[in-house]
Amino acid sequence: MTLTKDLGVLRTIPLFAKVDPAKLKLLAFTSERLAYVSGDELFHQGDHGDAAYIILEGEADILVDTPTGTIKVASLGKNDIIGEIAILCDVPRTATVVAHGGLEALRVSKEGFFHLVIQFPQVGIEVMSALASKLHDTTQALTEVRARVNELDEGNGDG
Amino acid sequence: MTLTKDLGVLRTIPLFAKVDPAKLKLLAFTSERLAYVSGDELFHQGDHGDAAYIILEGEADILVDTPTGTIKVASLGKNDIIGEIAILCDVPRTATVVAHGGLEALRVSKEGFFHLVIQFPQVGIEVMSALASKLHDTTQALTEVRARVNELDEGNGDG
């Protein structure tokens, strides 16, 4: 993959829409474009987190191991960011990410990510918005499931 | 409250630890220090979000209305950020925040917040880390509650 082609790809990612195209070269040098086939793991729950990923093409399943088995908690697609939690708060990977069909992703190392945000604060705002949006959805889901548990608990109490 | 005193307070907030103290004046001018008594609402679920808050002293309860009643989902304390989701992803307030005892908070307007992050990308990284940490905790809680629902559903099925 030539740098020119990489830059063309980077320009189409909404996360970098507000970055001066001339400066995107920095990212092209600090990121890596990877291809996966269906079933390939981008990373596994419990792994040390050393990079974030942006999906360029395809879909990925987010799987979480629980005491009662593995649950698919989300499905992500083009332009979504994956794996930023582990590099931001130094925790092991909280989920396993698996390619659902063919997948292309941009891998940005932890150091590259922080460098990028310091150089381009607007990218930081986009990442914050994406995190806030995920937190919003997760909090809504948690509230709904907790309400469901309350109902089931009451149901069991009656039975 | 004089600017000098405000700057003294801002310097003690970990979120701003890496900001050049001389530049913190900008924040002192774009933020407001507020005092609440126990039971006062900082904001209410469903409100339009126009500011984020940092707790300077005291504790706040995070309450969410559900079909089966109001649930306390979290308790936040000194140096925690509150209300950043609504200003980052343009959604109504997802929870009600109530002072639990006397509370002092720094209110940063939406515009002030974005200006701050653009001027001081390091603050953006701290906010991202805080968001990622909350997302990590919420995702863990969601996984646990989902596993509990699966157990209860099976229990009901047997009964």
Side-chain angles (χ1 to χ4, degrees):
Chain A
M1 160 91 22
T2 65
L3 183 61
T4 317
K5 274 195 190 162
D6 261 350
L7 280 177
V9 169
L10 296 180
R11 281 187 192 139
T12 67
I13 303 175
L15 183 62
F16 307 125
K18 289 170 186 162
V19 176
D20 177 355
K23 293 186 176 176
L24 274 181
K25 277 186 191 174
L26 174 74
L27 181 62
F29 283 112
T30 59
S31 66
E32 194 181 358
R33 195 171 165 179
L34 301 170
Y36 302 87
V37 297
S38 197
D40 276 356
E41 285 188 6
L42 279 71
F43 51 79
H44 195 88
Q45 187 171 342
D47 284 355
H48 170 70
D50 55 355
Y53 299 78
I54 299 155
I55 299 182
L56 299 174
E57 285 299 334
E59 285 187 12
D61 289 334
I62 315 297
L63 309 174
V64 175
D65 291 332
T66 75
T68 53
T70 300
I71 303 174
K72 175 176 160 183
V73 293
S75 178
L76 297 177
K78 188 171 176 167
N79 295 323
D80 283 330
I81 316 173
I82 309 176
E84 74 282 23
I85 295 181
I87 65 171
L88 279 166
C89 55
D90 259 328
V91 292
R93 296 294 189 194
T94 52
T96 298
V97 177
V98 178
H100 184 96
L103 180 100
E104 271 192 55
L106 192 74
R107 182 186 186 278
V108 184
S109 71
K110 184 172 177 174
E111 294 69 31
F113 177 82
F114 285 117
H115 192 66
L116 187 75
V117 170
I118 294 291
Q119 291 291 309
F120 310 112
Q122 192 63 50
V123 172
I125 290 180
E126 299 289 329
V127 173
M128 269 180 251
S129 297
L131 280 167
S133 176
K134 284 181 189 176
L135 184 54
H136 176 255
D137 293 348
T138 309
T139 304
Q140 298 280 87
L142 180 59
T143 305
E144 281 164 25
V145 180
R146 275 185 175 153
R148 172 100 179 102
V149 167
N150 285 349
E151 276 172 31
L152 287 170
D153 275 338
E154 280 164 22
N156 279 347
D158 292 343
Chain B
M1 163 88 23
T2 66
L3 183 59
T4 316
K5 275 196 190 162
D6 261 350
L7 278 177
V9 169
L10 295 181
R11 281 187 193 140
T12 68
I13 301 174
L15 182 61
F16 306 126
K18 288 171 188 163
V19 175
D20 177 357
K23 292 186 177 175
L24 274 181
K25 277 187 190 174
L26 174 74
L27 180 62
F29 283 112
T30 59
S31 66
E32 195 181 357
R33 193 170 166 180
L34 300 170
Y36 301 87
V37 297
S38 196
D40 276 356
E41 284 188 7
L42 279 72
F43 50 79
H44 196 89
Q45 187 170 343
D47 284 355
H48 170 70
D50 55 355
Y53 299 78
I54 299 155
I55 299 182
L56 300 174
E57 286 297 337
E59 284 187 12
D61 289 334
I62 315 297
L63 309 174
V64 174
D65 292 332
T66 74
T68 52
T70 300
I71 303 173
K72 175 176 159 182
V73 291
S75 177
L76 298 178
K78 188 169 176 168
N79 294 324
D80 283 330
I81 315 172
I82 309 176
E84 74 283 22
I85 296 181
I87 66 171
L88 279 167
C89 56
D90 258 330
V91 293
R93 294 297 188 192
T94 52
T96 298
V97 177
V98 178
H100 184 94
L103 181 101
E104 271 192 57
L106 192 75
R107 182 185 186 279
V108 184
S109 70
K110 185 173 176 171
E111 295 69 31
F113 177 83
F114 285 116
H115 192 66
L116 186 76
V117 171
I118 294 292
Q119 291 290 311
F120 311 112
Q122 192 62 49
V123 172
I125 289 180
E126 299 290 329
V127 173
M128 268 180 252
S129 297
L131 279 166
S133 176
K134 285 182 189 177
L135 184 55
H136 176 256
D137 294 347
T138 309
T139 304
Q140 298 280 87
L142 180 59
T143 304
E144 282 164 24
V145 180
R146 275 186 174 151
R148 170 103 179 100
V149 166
N150 285 349
E151 276 173 31
L152 286 170
D153 273 340
E154 279 166 22
N156 279 348
D158 293 342

